[in-house]
Amino acid sequence: MIAAVGQLCSTASMAHNLSQCRLLVQKAVAAGAKVRPLLLNHALFLPEASDYIAPSASETVSLVQPASSSPFVLGLQESARNYRLSINVGIHEPAQGGKKVKNTLLWIDEHGEIKHRYQKLHLFDVDIPGGPTLQESNSVEKGMELVPPFTTAIGNLRFPEPSISLRRQGAHIITYPSAFTVPTGKAHWSTLLRARAIETQSYVIAAAQVGSHNEKRTSYGHSMLVSPWGEVMAELSGEKKDEPEIAVAEIDLEGLEKIRKEMPLLRRTDVYPEI
């Protein structure tokens, strides 16, 4: 499998963001064809909130549309179908009551069908002195279910429990679509991604937002693909470019199984609870 991780700077304009993502689709297809021209199993991983990032909680809620009618989602479904490319993408969906949104991740298969969705469990509330103040819980409804693994599995980066649980259920790839702040990204991003890969012996794919979305918010970037051994296979920069970027790596499931066989992680669930 060829995995492409996409990096962009979403704004409050869905039309702009869709055009950026469509460009990433084209780049992913071209890059996959160069790496393994006879391999048709490609996937593009896009960041959290790819459809839009608004400057306020109220605007976040006002912009949301159902996936079934969202021009952004419909446009990506068309691209997936046209290019025969699976797409993993973070979007917003309406929450019950109309006062908040859901922060969800969609798996769109190569036929353009939405096959899986995950609603973010752990919301990001932070107040850093001299830095950003973000209260995701003001506008986002928290998810209540850890979705079992399918083609890929989704975790919450700061919490090891979801990834450990997903590994126990058979996950080989864990994704972390993100929009990290610059201060927390510099301090924690790479360390956490490599830790999640090593402790689960899984591939970690982390698509990230990058650059200034508005006057209130800037994202760290550094989208990354990490091997089950903790090696950074590919990494993008922390600078916003003229065009959105991709990084590509090959997923070697035979190599993954070799690592798991040679260094098995035998958890002592007779001593502590199973996750």
Side-chain angles (χ1 to χ4, degrees), residues 190 193-195 197-198 201-202 226-233 259:
S190 178
L193 290 172
R194 295 187 65 229
I198 293 167
Q201 296 177 321
S202 302
V226 185
S227 78
W229 194 247
E231 172 194 6
V232 177
M233 303 163 64
I259 290 172

Side-chain angles (χ1 to χ4, degrees), residues 160-161 164-165 167-168 199 264-275:
E161 293 87 355
I164 293 171
S165 177
R167 164 68 176 88
R168 178 180 58 78
E199 69 195 5
L265 299 180
L266 303 177
R267 303 195 182 277
R268 287 292 308 276
T269 53
D270 58 326
V271 177
Y272 49 77
E274 185 175 65
I275 299 174

Side-chain angles (χ1 to χ4, degrees), residues 5-273:
V5 61
Q7 181 166 282
L8 72 151
C9 182
S10 293
T11 68
S13 168
M14 279 198 200
H16 168 79
N17 302 332
L18 176 59
S19 69
Q20 297 292 289
C21 290
R22 279 178 159 163
L23 183 55
L24 287 170
V25 167
Q26 295 171 18
K27 289 186 175 186
V29 171
K34 289 179 182 178
V35 176
R36 292 286 294 275
L38 299 180
L39 184 64
L40 298 178
N41 189 12
H42 304 328
L44 171 63
F45 295 81
L46 296 172
E48 176 181 21
S50 288
D51 56 345
Y52 64 87
I53 292 181
S56 67
S58 60
E59 192 169 351
T60 295
V61 175
S62 69
L63 287 172
V64 73
Q65 296 187 40
S68 59
S69 59
S70 164
F72 179 87
V73 175
L74 293 173
L76 278 188
Q77 288 181 276
E78 180 183 39
S79 291
R81 190 163 46 246
N82 289 343
Y83 288 97
R84 305 287 291 178
L85 178 74
S86 296
I87 301 174
N88 195 55
V89 59
I91 67 163
H92 301 85
E93 293 187 280
Q96 190 171 6
K99 294 183 179 180
K100 291 188 176 184
V101 301
K102 298 177 182 179
N103 184 335
T104 61
L105 189 69
L106 303 180
W107 181 265
I108 303 172
D109 71 9
E110 69 275 17
H111 305 293
E113 301 295 325
I114 297 173
K115 289 297 186 181
H116 303 278
R117 60 168 31 85
Y118 159 82
Q119 186 178 348
K120 187 176 181 180
L121 296 179
H122 299 100
L123 304 183
F124 187 60
D125 290 351
V126 63
D127 186 0
I128 300 175
T133 297
L134 294 173
Q135 298 293 322
E136 190 175 22
S137 59
N138 286 345
S139 59
V140 178
E141 174 189 272
K142 63 184 178 182
M144 299 301 292
E145 178 188 11
L146 182 63
V147 180
F150 48 98
T151 306
T152 62
I154 307 99
N156 291 91
L157 184 54
R158 291 189 178 278
F159 300 88
E161 293 87 355
S163 60
I164 293 171
S165 177
L166 291 166
R167 164 68 176 88
R168 178 180 58 78
Q169 297 175 65
H172 295 95
I173 301 170
I174 300 175
T175 68
Y176 294 101
S178 301
F180 255 55
T181 67
V182 174
T184 57
K186 288 180 177 179
H188 304 146
W189 176 248
S190 178
T191 301
L192 287 171
L193 290 172
R194 295 187 65 229
R196 297 295 89 87
I198 293 167
E199 69 195 5
T200 63
Q201 296 177 321
S202 302
Y203 283 96
V204 162
I205 301 177
Q209 294 277 353
V210 67
S212 177
H213 310 285
N214 51 61
E215 62 181 16
K216 297 180 181 179
R217 185 167 177 182
T218 301
S219 291
Y220 179 63
H222 292 273
S223 297
M224 197 176 295
L225 297 105
V226 185
S227 78
W229 194 247
E231 172 194 6
V232 177
M233 303 163 64
E235 180 180 1
L236 294 173
S237 75
E239 301 295 327
K240 179 183 175 182
K241 308 293 186 180
D242 292 336
E243 289 189 351
E245 298 181 280
I246 64 162
V248 176
E250 186 169 352
I251 304 300
D252 177 10
L253 295 182
E254 289 185 5
L256 177 148
E257 293 298 344
K258 182 174 184 290
I259 290 172
R260 292 181 176 182
K261 181 178 180 180
E262 292 178 351
M263 195 173 72
L265 299 180
L266 303 177
R267 303 195 182 277
R268 287 292 308 276
T269 53
D270 58 326
V271 177
Y272 49 77

